[in-house]
Structures are given as C-alpha cells and as structure tokens.
Coordinates of all heavy atoms in Angstrom, one line a residue:
M1 N 27.1 -20.7 12.3 CA 26.2 -20.2 13.3 C 27.0 -19.4 14.3 O 26.5 -18.4 14.8 CB 25.5 -21.4 14.0 CG 24.3 -21.0 14.7 SD 23.0 -22.2 15.0 CE 23.2 -23.4 13.8
A2 N 28.2 -19.8 14.6 CA 29.0 -19.1 15.6 C 29.4 -17.7 15.1 O 29.4 -16.8 15.9 CB 30.3 -19.9 15.9
A3 N 29.6 -17.6 13.8 CA 29.9 -16.3 13.2 C 28.7 -15.3 13.4 O 28.9 -14.1 13.7 CB 30.3 -16.4 11.8
A4 N 27.5 -15.8 13.2 CA 26.3 -14.9 13.3 C 26.2 -14.5 14.8 O 25.8 -13.4 15.1 CB 25.1 -15.7 12.8
A5 N 26.5 -15.4 15.7 CA 26.4 -15.1 17.1 C 27.5 -14.1 17.5 O 27.2 -13.2 18.3 CB 26.5 -16.4 18.0
A6 N 28.6 -14.2 16.9 CA 29.7 -13.2 17.2 C 29.4 -11.8 16.7 O 29.7 -10.8 17.4 CB 31.0 -13.7 16.6
V7 N 28.7 -11.8 15.6 CA 28.3 -10.4 15.1 C 27.4 -9.7 16.0 O 27.4 -8.5 16.1 CB 27.7 -10.6 13.7 CG1 27.1 -9.3 13.2 CG2 28.7 -11.1 12.7
C8 N 26.6 -10.4 16.8 CA 25.7 -9.8 17.8 C 26.5 -8.9 18.7 O 26.0 -7.8 19.1 CB 24.9 -10.9 18.6 SG 23.7 -11.8 17.6
N9 N 27.6 -9.4 19.1 CA 28.5 -8.7 20.1 C 29.3 -7.6 19.4 O 29.6 -6.6 20.0 CB 29.4 -9.6 20.9 CG 28.6 -10.5 21.8 OD1 27.6 -10.1 22.4 ND2 29.0 -11.7 21.9
L10 N 29.7 -7.9 18.2 CA 30.6 -6.9 17.5 C 29.9 -5.7 17.0 O 30.5 -4.7 16.7 CB 31.2 -7.6 16.2 CG 32.2 -8.7 16.6 CD1 32.6 -9.4 15.3 CD2 33.4 -8.2 17.3
V11 N 28.5 -5.7 17.0 CA 27.8 -4.5 16.5 C 27.2 -3.7 17.7 O 26.4 -2.8 17.5 CB 26.7 -4.8 15.5 CG1 27.3 -5.4 14.2 CG2 25.7 -5.8 16.0
L12 N 27.5 -4.1 18.9 CA 27.0 -3.3 20.0 C 27.5 -1.9 19.9 O 28.6 -1.6 19.4 CB 27.5 -3.9 21.3 CG 26.8 -5.2 21.7 CD1 27.6 -6.0 22.8 CD2 25.4 -5.0 22.1
G13 N 26.8 -1.0 20.5 CA 27.1 0.5 20.4 C 28.5 0.9 20.9 O 29.1 1.8 20.3
F14 N 29.1 0.2 21.8 CA 30.4 0.5 22.3 C 31.6 -0.2 21.6 O 32.7 0.0 21.9 CB 30.5 0.2 23.8 CG 30.3 -1.2 24.2 CD1 31.2 -2.2 24.1 CD2 29.0 -1.5 24.7 CE1 31.0 -3.5 24.4 CE2 28.7 -2.9 25.0 CZ 29.7 -3.8 24.9
S15 N 31.2 -1.0 20.6 CA 32.2 -1.8 19.9 C 32.9 -0.8 18.9 O 32.3 -0.1 18.1 CB 31.6 -2.9 19.1 OG 32.5 -3.5 18.2
H16 N 34.2 -0.9 18.9 CA 35.0 0.0 18.0 C 35.0 -0.5 16.6 O 35.4 0.2 15.6 CB 36.4 0.2 18.5 CG 37.3 -1.1 18.5 ND1 37.1 -2.0 19.5 CD2 38.2 -1.5 17.6 CE1 37.9 -3.0 19.2 NE2 38.6 -2.8 18.1
V17 N 34.6 -1.7 16.3 CA 34.5 -2.3 15.0 C 33.1 -2.1 14.3 O 33.0 -2.4 13.1 CB 34.9 -3.8 14.9 CG1 36.3 -4.0 15.4 CG2 34.0 -4.6 15.7
R18 N 32.2 -1.6 15.1 CA 30.8 -1.4 14.6 C 30.8 -0.6 13.3 O 30.2 -1.0 12.3 CB 29.9 -0.8 15.6 CG 28.5 -0.5 15.2 CD 27.8 0.1 16.4 NE 26.4 0.5 16.0 CZ 25.5 0.7 16.9 NH1 25.8 0.7 18.2 NH2 24.3 1.1 16.5
P19 N 31.4 0.6 13.2 CA 31.3 1.4 12.0 C 32.0 0.6 10.8 O 31.5 0.7 9.7 CB 32.1 2.7 12.3 CG 32.1 2.7 13.8 CD 32.1 1.3 14.3
A20 N 33.1 -0.1 11.1 CA 33.7 -0.8 10.0 C 32.9 -1.9 9.4 O 32.8 -2.2 8.2 CB 35.1 -1.3 10.5
L21 N 32.2 -2.6 10.3 CA 31.3 -3.7 9.9 C 30.1 -3.1 9.1 O 29.7 -3.7 8.1 CB 30.7 -4.4 11.1 CG 31.7 -5.4 11.8 CD1 31.1 -5.9 13.1 CD2 32.1 -6.5 10.9
V22 N 29.6 -2.0 9.5 CA 28.5 -1.4 8.7 C 29.0 -1.0 7.3 O 28.4 -1.3 6.3 CB 27.9 -0.2 9.4 CG1 26.9 0.6 8.5 CG2 27.2 -0.6 10.7
K23 N 30.2 -0.4 7.3 CA 30.8 0.0 6.0 C 31.1 -1.2 5.1 O 31.0 -1.1 3.9 CB 32.0 0.8 6.3 CG 32.6 1.5 5.0 CD 33.8 2.4 5.4 CE 34.3 3.0 4.1 NZ 35.4 3.9 4.4
A24 N 31.5 -2.3 5.7 CA 31.8 -3.5 5.0 C 30.6 -4.3 4.5 O 30.7 -5.2 3.8 CB 32.7 -4.4 5.8
G25 N 29.4 -3.9 4.9 CA 28.2 -4.5 4.4 C 27.6 -5.6 5.3 O 26.9 -6.5 4.8
V26 N 27.7 -5.4 6.6 CA 27.2 -6.4 7.5 C 25.6 -6.5 7.4 O 25.1 -7.6 7.5 CB 27.6 -6.2 9.0 CG1 26.9 -5.0 9.6 CG2 27.4 -7.5 9.8
V27 N 25.0 -5.4 7.2 CA 23.5 -5.4 7.1 C 23.0 -6.3 5.9 O 22.2 -7.2 6.1 CB 22.9 -4.0 7.2 CG1 21.4 -4.0 6.9 CG2 23.2 -3.3 8.5
P28 N 23.5 -6.0 4.7 CA 23.0 -6.8 3.6 C 23.5 -8.3 3.7 O 22.8 -9.2 3.3 CB 23.7 -6.2 2.4 CG 24.1 -4.8 2.8 CD 24.3 -4.8 4.2
A29 N 24.6 -8.5 4.4 CA 25.1 -9.9 4.6 C 24.2 -10.6 5.6 O 24.0 -11.8 5.4 CB 26.5 -9.9 5.1
L30 N 23.7 -10.0 6.6 CA 22.8 -10.6 7.6 C 21.3 -10.8 7.1 O 20.6 -11.6 7.6 CB 22.8 -9.9 8.9 CG 24.1 -10.0 9.7 CD1 24.0 -9.1 10.9 CD2 24.3 -11.4 10.2
T31 N 20.9 -9.9 6.2 CA 19.5 -9.9 5.8 C 19.0 -11.2 5.4 O 17.9 -11.6 5.8 CB 19.3 -8.8 4.7 OG1 19.7 -7.5 5.3 CG2 17.8 -8.8 4.3
P32 N 19.7 -12.0 4.6 CA 19.1 -13.3 4.2 C 19.0 -14.3 5.4 O 18.1 -15.2 5.4 CB 20.1 -13.9 3.2 CG 20.9 -12.7 2.7 CD 20.9 -11.7 3.8
L33 N 19.8 -14.1 6.4 CA 19.7 -15.0 7.6 C 18.4 -14.7 8.4 O 17.9 -15.6 9.1 CB 20.9 -14.8 8.5 CG 22.2 -15.1 7.9 CD1 23.3 -14.9 8.9 CD2 22.3 -16.5 7.3
V34 N 17.8 -13.5 8.2 CA 16.6 -13.2 8.9 C 15.4 -14.1 8.5 O 14.5 -14.4 9.3 CB 16.2 -11.7 8.7 CG1 14.8 -11.4 9.2 CG2 17.2 -10.8 9.4
T35 N 15.5 -14.6 7.3 CA 14.4 -15.5 6.8 C 14.9 -17.0 6.7 O 14.3 -17.8 6.1 CB 13.9 -15.0 5.5 OG1 15.0 -14.9 4.5 CG2 13.2 -13.7 5.6
S36 N 16.0 -17.3 7.3 CA 16.6 -18.6 7.3 C 15.6 -19.6 7.9 O 14.9 -19.3 8.8 CB 17.9 -18.7 8.1 OG 18.4 -20.0 8.2
M37 N 15.7 -20.8 7.4 CA 14.9 -21.9 8.0 C 15.5 -22.4 9.3 O 14.9 -23.2 10.0 CB 14.7 -23.1 6.9 CG 14.0 -22.7 5.7 SD 12.3 -22.0 6.0 CE 11.5 -23.4 6.7
V38 N 16.7 -22.0 9.5 CA 17.4 -22.5 10.8 C 17.1 -21.4 11.9 O 17.5 -20.3 11.8 CB 18.9 -22.6 10.5 CG1 19.6 -23.0 11.8 CG2 19.2 -23.5 9.4
P39 N 16.4 -21.8 12.9 CA 15.9 -20.8 13.9 C 17.1 -20.1 14.6 O 17.0 -18.9 14.8 CB 15.2 -21.7 14.9 CG 14.7 -22.9 14.2 CD 15.8 -23.1 13.1
E40 N 18.2 -20.8 14.8 CA 19.3 -20.1 15.5 C 20.0 -19.0 14.6 O 20.3 -18.0 15.1 CB 20.4 -21.1 15.9 CG 20.0 -22.1 17.0 CD 19.7 -21.4 18.3 OE1 20.4 -20.5 18.7 OE2 18.7 -21.8 18.9
L41 N 20.0 -19.3 13.3 CA 20.5 -18.2 12.4 C 19.6 -17.0 12.4 O 20.1 -15.9 12.4 CB 20.7 -18.8 11.0 CG 21.9 -19.7 10.8 CD1 22.0 -20.3 9.4 CD2 23.2 -19.0 11.1
R42 N 18.3 -17.3 12.3 CA 17.3 -16.2 12.3 C 17.4 -15.4 13.6 O 17.4 -14.2 13.6 CB 15.9 -16.9 12.2 CG 15.0 -16.2 11.2 CD 13.7 -16.9 11.0 NE 13.1 -17.6 12.0 CZ 13.0 -19.0 12.1 NH1 13.5 -19.7 11.1 NH2 12.4 -19.6 13.1
L43 N 17.5 -16.1 14.7 CA 17.6 -15.5 16.0 C 18.9 -14.5 16.1 O 18.8 -13.4 16.4 CB 17.7 -16.5 17.1 CG 18.0 -16.0 18.5 CD1 16.9 -15.1 19.0 CD2 18.3 -17.1 19.5
H44 N 20.0 -15.1 15.7 CA 21.2 -14.3 15.8 C 21.2 -13.1 14.8 O 21.7 -12.0 15.1 CB 22.5 -15.1 15.5 CG 22.7 -16.1 16.7 ND1 22.8 -15.7 18.0 CD2 22.8 -17.4 16.7 CE1 23.0 -16.8 18.7 NE2 23.0 -17.8 18.0
A45 N 20.6 -13.3 13.6 CA 20.6 -12.1 12.7 C 19.7 -11.0 13.2 O 20.1 -9.8 13.2 CB 20.0 -12.6 11.3
V46 N 18.5 -11.4 13.8 CA 17.6 -10.4 14.3 C 18.2 -9.7 15.5 O 18.1 -8.5 15.7 CB 16.2 -11.0 14.6 CG1 15.3 -9.9 15.3 CG2 15.6 -11.5 13.3
W47 N 18.9 -10.5 16.3 CA 19.6 -10.0 17.5 C 20.7 -9.0 17.1 O 20.8 -7.9 17.8 CB 20.2 -11.2 18.3 CG 20.5 -11.0 19.7 CD1 20.8 -9.8 20.4 CD2 20.5 -12.0 20.8 NE1 21.0 -10.0 21.7 CE2 20.8 -11.3 22.0 CE3 20.3 -13.3 20.7 CZ2 20.9 -12.0 23.2 CZ3 20.4 -14.0 21.9 CH2 20.7 -13.4 23.1
A48 N 21.4 -9.3 16.1 CA 22.5 -8.4 15.7 C 21.9 -7.1 15.2 O 22.4 -6.0 15.4 CB 23.3 -9.1 14.5
F49 N 20.8 -7.2 14.4 CA 20.1 -6.0 14.0 C 19.6 -5.2 15.1 O 19.6 -4.0 15.1 CB 18.9 -6.4 13.0 CG 19.4 -6.7 11.6 CD1 18.5 -7.2 10.7 CD2 20.7 -6.5 11.2 CE1 18.9 -7.5 9.4 CE2 21.1 -6.8 9.9 CZ 20.2 -7.3 9.0
K50 N 19.1 -5.9 16.1 CA 18.6 -5.1 17.3 C 19.7 -4.4 18.0 O 19.6 -3.2 18.3 CB 17.9 -6.1 18.3 CG 17.4 -5.4 19.6 CD 17.1 -6.4 20.7 CE 18.4 -6.7 21.4 NZ 18.2 -7.4 22.6
N51 N 20.9 -5.1 18.1 CA 22.0 -4.4 18.8 C 22.5 -3.3 17.9 O 22.9 -2.2 18.4 CB 23.1 -5.4 19.0 CG 22.8 -6.4 20.2 OD1 21.9 -6.1 20.9 ND2 23.6 -7.4 20.3
L52 N 22.5 -3.5 16.6 CA 23.0 -2.4 15.7 C 22.1 -1.2 15.7 O 22.5 -0.1 15.6 CB 23.1 -3.0 14.3 CG 23.7 -2.1 13.2 CD1 25.1 -1.8 13.5 CD2 23.7 -2.9 11.9
A53 N 20.8 -1.4 15.9 CA 19.8 -0.3 15.9 C 19.9 0.5 17.2 O 19.4 1.6 17.2 CB 18.4 -0.9 15.7
H54 N 20.4 -0.1 18.2 CA 20.5 0.7 19.5 C 21.4 1.9 19.3 O 22.6 1.8 19.0 CB 21.0 -0.2 20.6 CG 21.1 0.4 21.9 ND1 19.9 0.7 22.6 CD2 22.1 0.9 22.7 CE1 20.2 1.3 23.7 NE2 21.5 1.4 23.8
E55 N 20.8 3.1 19.5 CA 21.4 4.4 19.5 C 22.2 4.5 18.2 O 23.4 5.1 18.1 CB 22.3 4.6 20.7 CG 21.6 4.6 22.0 CD 22.4 4.8 23.2 OE1 23.7 5.0 23.1 OE2 21.9 4.8 24.3
C56 N 21.7 4.1 17.1 CA 22.3 4.2 15.8 C 22.0 5.5 15.1 O 21.1 6.2 15.5 CB 21.9 3.1 14.8 SG 20.2 3.1 14.3
D57 N 22.8 5.9 14.1 CA 22.5 7.1 13.4 C 21.5 6.9 12.4 O 21.1 5.8 12.1 CB 23.8 7.7 12.8 CG 24.5 6.8 11.8 OD1 23.7 6.1 11.1 OD2 25.7 6.8 11.7
N58 N 21.0 8.0 11.8 CA 19.9 7.9 10.8 C 20.3 7.0 9.6 O 19.4 6.4 9.0 CB 19.5 9.3 10.3 CG 18.7 10.0 11.4 OD1 18.2 9.4 12.4 ND2 18.7 11.3 11.3
G59 N 21.6 7.0 9.2 CA 22.0 6.3 8.0 C 21.8 4.8 8.3 O 21.3 4.0 7.4
V60 N 22.2 4.3 9.5 CA 22.1 2.9 9.8 C 20.6 2.5 10.0 O 20.2 1.5 9.5 CB 22.9 2.6 11.1 CG1 22.6 1.1 11.5 CG2 24.4 2.8 10.8
Q61 N 19.9 3.4 10.6 CA 18.5 3.2 10.7 C 17.8 3.0 9.4 O 17.0 2.1 9.2 CB 17.8 4.4 11.5 CG 16.4 4.1 11.9 CD 15.9 5.3 12.7 OE1 15.9 6.4 12.3 NE2 15.4 5.0 13.9
G62 N 18.1 3.9 8.5 CA 17.5 3.8 7.1 C 17.9 2.6 6.4 O 17.1 1.9 5.7
L63 N 19.2 2.2 6.6 CA 19.7 0.9 6.0 C 18.9 -0.3 6.5 O 18.4 -1.2 5.8 CB 21.2 0.8 6.2 CG 21.8 -0.5 5.6 CD1 21.7 -0.5 4.1 CD2 23.3 -0.4 6.1
L64 N 18.7 -0.3 7.8 CA 17.9 -1.4 8.4 C 16.5 -1.5 7.9 O 16.0 -2.5 7.6 CB 18.0 -1.3 9.9 CG 19.3 -1.6 10.6 CD1 19.3 -1.2 12.1 CD2 19.6 -3.1 10.5
L65 N 15.9 -0.3 7.9 CA 14.5 -0.2 7.4 C 14.4 -0.6 5.9 O 13.4 -1.3 5.5 CB 13.9 1.2 7.6 CG 13.7 1.5 9.1 CD1 13.3 3.0 9.2 CD2 12.6 0.6 9.7
S66 N 15.3 -0.3 5.1 CA 15.3 -0.6 3.7 C 15.5 -2.1 3.5 O 15.0 -2.7 2.6 CB 16.2 0.2 2.9 OG 17.5 -0.1 3.1
E67 N 16.4 -2.7 4.3 CA 16.7 -4.1 4.1 C 15.5 -5.0 4.7 O 15.2 -6.0 4.0 CB 18.0 -4.5 4.9 CG 19.2 -4.0 4.2 CD 19.6 -4.7 2.9 OE1 19.3 -5.9 2.8 OE2 20.2 -4.1 2.0
L68 N 15.0 -4.6 5.8 CA 14.0 -5.5 6.4 C 12.5 -5.2 5.9 O 11.7 -6.1 5.8 CB 14.0 -5.4 7.9 CG 15.2 -6.0 8.6 CD1 15.2 -5.8 10.1 CD2 15.3 -7.5 8.3
T69 N 12.2 -4.0 5.7 CA 10.9 -3.5 5.3 C 9.9 -3.7 6.4 O 10.1 -4.6 7.3 CB 10.3 -4.2 4.0 OG1 10.0 -5.5 4.3 CG2 11.3 -4.1 2.9
W70 N 8.8 -3.0 6.4 CA 7.8 -3.1 7.4 C 7.1 -4.5 7.4 O 6.8 -5.1 8.4 CB 6.8 -2.0 7.4 CG 7.4 -0.7 7.8 CD1 7.6 0.4 7.1 CD2 7.8 -0.4 9.1 NE1 8.2 1.4 7.8 CE2 8.3 0.9 9.1 CE3 7.8 -1.1 10.3 CZ2 8.9 1.5 10.3 CZ3 8.4 -0.5 11.5 CH2 8.9 0.8 11.4
R71 N 7.0 -5.0 6.2 CA 6.4 -6.3 6.0 C 7.3 -7.4 6.7 O 6.8 -8.3 7.4 CB 6.2 -6.7 4.6 CG 5.8 -8.1 4.4 CD 5.6 -8.5 2.9 NE 4.1 -8.3 2.7 CZ 3.5 -8.3 1.6 NH1 4.2 -8.4 0.5 NH2 2.2 -8.2 1.5
G72 N 8.6 -7.2 6.5 CA 9.5 -8.1 7.2 C 9.4 -8.1 8.7 O 9.5 -9.1 9.4
F73 N 9.3 -6.8 9.2 CA 9.1 -6.7 10.7 C 7.9 -7.4 11.2 O 7.9 -8.1 12.2 CB 9.0 -5.2 11.1 CG 10.4 -4.5 11.1 CD1 10.7 -3.5 10.3 CD2 11.3 -4.9 12.1 CE1 11.9 -2.9 10.3 CE2 12.5 -4.2 12.2 CZ 12.8 -3.2 11.3
K74 N 6.8 -7.2 10.4 CA 5.5 -7.8 10.8 C 5.7 -9.3 10.8 O 5.2 -10.0 11.8 CB 4.4 -7.4 9.8 CG 3.1 -8.0 10.1 CD 2.0 -7.6 9.1 CE 0.8 -8.4 9.3 NZ 0.6 -9.5 8.4
E75 N 6.3 -9.9 9.8 CA 6.5 -11.3 9.8 C 7.3 -11.8 11.0 O 6.9 -12.9 11.6 CB 7.2 -11.7 8.5 CG 6.5 -11.3 7.3 CD 5.9 -12.4 6.4 OE1 6.4 -13.5 6.6 OE2 5.0 -12.1 5.6
L76 N 8.3 -11.1 11.4 CA 9.1 -11.5 12.5 C 8.4 -11.4 13.8 O 8.4 -12.3 14.6 CB 10.4 -10.6 12.6 CG 11.4 -10.9 11.5 CD1 12.5 -9.8 11.6 CD2 12.1 -12.2 11.6
V77 N 7.6 -10.4 14.0 CA 6.9 -10.1 15.3 C 5.7 -11.0 15.4 O 5.5 -11.6 16.5 CB 6.6 -8.6 15.4 CG1 5.7 -8.4 16.6 CG2 7.8 -7.8 15.5
V78 N 5.0 -11.2 14.3 CA 3.7 -11.8 14.4 C 3.7 -13.3 14.0 O 3.1 -14.2 14.6 CB 2.6 -11.1 13.5 CG1 1.3 -11.8 13.5 CG2 2.5 -9.7 14.0
S79 N 4.5 -13.6 13.0 CA 4.4 -14.9 12.3 C 5.5 -15.9 12.6 O 5.4 -17.1 12.3 CB 4.3 -14.7 10.8 OG 3.2 -13.9 10.5
D80 N 6.6 -15.4 13.2 CA 7.8 -16.3 13.4 C 7.4 -17.4 14.4 O 6.7 -17.1 15.4 CB 9.0 -15.6 13.9 CG 10.3 -16.4 13.6 OD1 10.6 -17.3 14.4 OD2 10.9 -16.1 12.6
D81 N 7.8 -18.6 14.2 CA 7.5 -19.7 15.1 C 8.3 -19.7 16.4 O 7.9 -20.4 17.3 CB 7.8 -21.1 14.4 CG 6.8 -21.3 13.2 OD1 5.7 -20.7 13.2 OD2 7.2 -22.0 12.3
D82 N 9.4 -19.0 16.4 CA 10.3 -19.0 17.5 C 10.1 -17.7 18.3 O 10.3 -16.6 17.9 CB 11.8 -19.0 17.0 CG 12.8 -19.3 18.1 OD1 12.5 -18.9 19.3 OD2 13.9 -19.8 17.8
V83 N 9.6 -17.9 19.6 CA 9.3 -16.8 20.4 C 10.6 -15.9 20.7 O 10.5 -14.7 20.9 CB 8.6 -17.2 21.7 CG1 9.6 -18.0 22.7 CG2 8.0 -16.0 22.4
R84 N 11.8 -16.5 20.7 CA 13.0 -15.8 20.9 C 13.2 -14.8 19.8 O 13.7 -13.7 20.0 CB 14.2 -16.7 21.0 CG 14.1 -17.7 22.2 CD 15.2 -18.8 22.1 NE 15.2 -19.4 20.8 CZ 16.2 -20.1 20.3 NH1 17.3 -20.3 21.0 NH2 16.1 -20.7 19.1
V85 N 12.9 -15.2 18.6 CA 13.0 -14.3 17.4 C 12.0 -13.2 17.5 O 12.3 -12.0 17.3 CB 12.8 -15.1 16.1 CG1 12.8 -14.1 14.9 CG2 13.9 -16.1 15.9
Q86 N 10.8 -13.5 17.9 CA 9.8 -12.5 18.1 C 10.2 -11.5 19.2 O 10.1 -10.3 19.0 CB 8.5 -13.1 18.6 CG 7.8 -13.9 17.5 CD 6.5 -14.6 18.0 OE1 6.4 -14.9 19.2 NE2 5.6 -14.9 17.1
Q87 N 10.8 -11.9 20.3 CA 11.3 -11.0 21.3 C 12.4 -10.1 20.8 O 12.3 -8.9 21.1 CB 11.8 -11.8 22.5 CG 10.7 -12.5 23.3 CD 11.3 -13.5 24.3 OE1 12.4 -14.0 24.2 NE2 10.5 -13.8 25.3
Q88 N 13.3 -10.6 20.0 CA 14.4 -9.8 19.5 C 13.8 -8.8 18.5 O 14.3 -7.7 18.4 CB 15.5 -10.6 18.9 CG 16.2 -11.5 19.9 CD 16.9 -10.6 21.0 OE1 17.5 -9.6 20.7 NE2 16.8 -11.1 22.2
A89 N 12.8 -9.2 17.7 CA 12.2 -8.3 16.7 C 11.5 -7.2 17.4 O 11.6 -6.0 16.9 CB 11.2 -9.1 15.8
V90 N 10.8 -7.4 18.5 CA 10.2 -6.4 19.2 C 11.2 -5.4 19.8 O 11.1 -4.2 19.7 CB 9.3 -6.9 20.4 CG1 8.9 -5.8 21.3 CG2 8.1 -7.6 19.8
G91 N 12.3 -5.9 20.3 CA 13.5 -5.1 20.7 C 14.0 -4.3 19.6 O 14.4 -3.1 19.8
L92 N 14.1 -4.8 18.4 CA 14.6 -4.1 17.2 C 13.7 -3.0 16.9 O 14.2 -1.8 16.7 CB 14.7 -5.1 16.0 CG 15.0 -4.5 14.7 CD1 16.3 -3.7 14.7 CD2 15.1 -5.6 13.6
L93 N 12.4 -3.2 16.9 CA 11.4 -2.1 16.7 C 11.6 -1.0 17.7 O 11.5 0.2 17.4 CB 10.0 -2.7 16.7 CG 9.6 -3.4 15.4 CD1 8.3 -4.1 15.6 CD2 9.6 -2.5 14.2
Q94 N 11.8 -1.4 19.0 CA 11.9 -0.4 20.0 C 13.2 0.5 19.8 O 13.2 1.7 19.9 CB 12.0 -1.0 21.4 CG 10.7 -1.6 21.9 CD 10.9 -2.4 23.2 OE1 12.0 -3.0 23.4 NE2 9.9 -2.4 24.0
N95 N 14.3 -0.2 19.3 CA 15.5 0.5 19.1 C 15.5 1.4 17.9 O 16.1 2.4 17.8 CB 16.7 -0.5 19.0 CG 17.1 -1.1 20.3 OD1 16.6 -0.6 21.4 ND2 17.8 -2.1 20.3
I96 N 14.7 1.0 16.9 CA 14.6 1.9 15.7 C 13.7 3.1 15.9 O 13.9 4.1 15.4 CB 14.1 1.0 14.5 CG1 15.2 0.2 14.0 CG2 13.5 1.9 13.4 CD1 14.9 -0.6 12.8
S97 N 12.7 2.9 16.8 CA 11.8 4.0 17.0 C 12.3 5.1 17.9 O 13.3 5.0 18.6 CB 10.4 3.5 17.5 OG 10.6 2.9 18.7

C-alpha cells in the first residue's frame, strides 16, 4: 500500500522520474489496482493516474484512456463505494480533458 501511495508523488508533473516510470510501465502496473477490493489501493491508483494525467502529453493521455476505458471511468465516478476514489476519478477526468 505504501508503494502505491509513493507512486502518487513520483508521477507528479515536476518529478524527474515521471518519464522513466511511464517508460517502465507504471500505467499497466497500476491498472489492476484501480479495481482492487482494497479501498486504499484503489484510491492511490486513481490518485496516481490523476497526477500522471496533469499536463501530460498525448502519448500518456492515450495510454491512460486505453488502460481505463470510458466504462472504467464511469464505474469509478458513479459506482465506487468510496467517495475519495470518486473525487480522484473526477480530478482524473478533468486532467485528461
């Protein structure tokens, strides 16, 4: 859980390791956590995606959209039981648009 929380900070726009993490496959690695039954893992995965989407290039944006899909976004925003996950998902949508 701590590793997922750390990734939230490592993918911020000013982080010098952000490009290396994207290249190393952080998006596909985090994708399964978005549907985890553990709320904290779900929260940190969506939060990391939100931070990654902030001022990202089209390649990262396309990668996020292909991994999560619009159906996945809808599930996070509308159906997730944790309001913190819903808030981060709305922020992710704002950052992608």
Side-chain angles (χ1 to χ4, degrees):
M1 199 156 340
V7 171
C8 292
N9 293 323
L10 293 173
V11 296
L12 287 165
F14 57 81
S15 172
H16 66 282
V17 298
R18 179 180 177 164
L21 287 171
V22 171
K23 188 175 181 179
V26 73
V27 174
L30 286 173
T31 301
L33 300 181
V34 171
T35 56
S36 171
M37 296 304 294
V38 180
E40 293 296 318
L41 285 177
R42 227 173 31 252
L43 172 65
H44 291 306
V46 176
W47 201 331
F49 282 170
K50 181 193 83 171
N51 288 348
L52 187 59
H54 182 70
E55 297 181 3
C56 68
D57 60 35
N58 289 341
V60 172
Q61 188 177 57
L63 181 60
L64 289 169
L65 288 171
S66 69
E67 287 288 329
L68 289 177
T69 72
W70 287 113
R71 173 179 262 168
F73 280 114
K74 179 183 172 253
E75 303 247 341
L76 290 170
V77 173
V78 177
S79 304
D80 200 282
D81 294 335
D82 191 333
V83 70
R84 301 171 305 163
V85 173
Q86 291 175 335
Q87 290 170 335
Q88 294 302 317
V90 168
L92 172 56
L93 284 170
Q94 289 173 326
N95 287 347
I96 283 185
S97 60

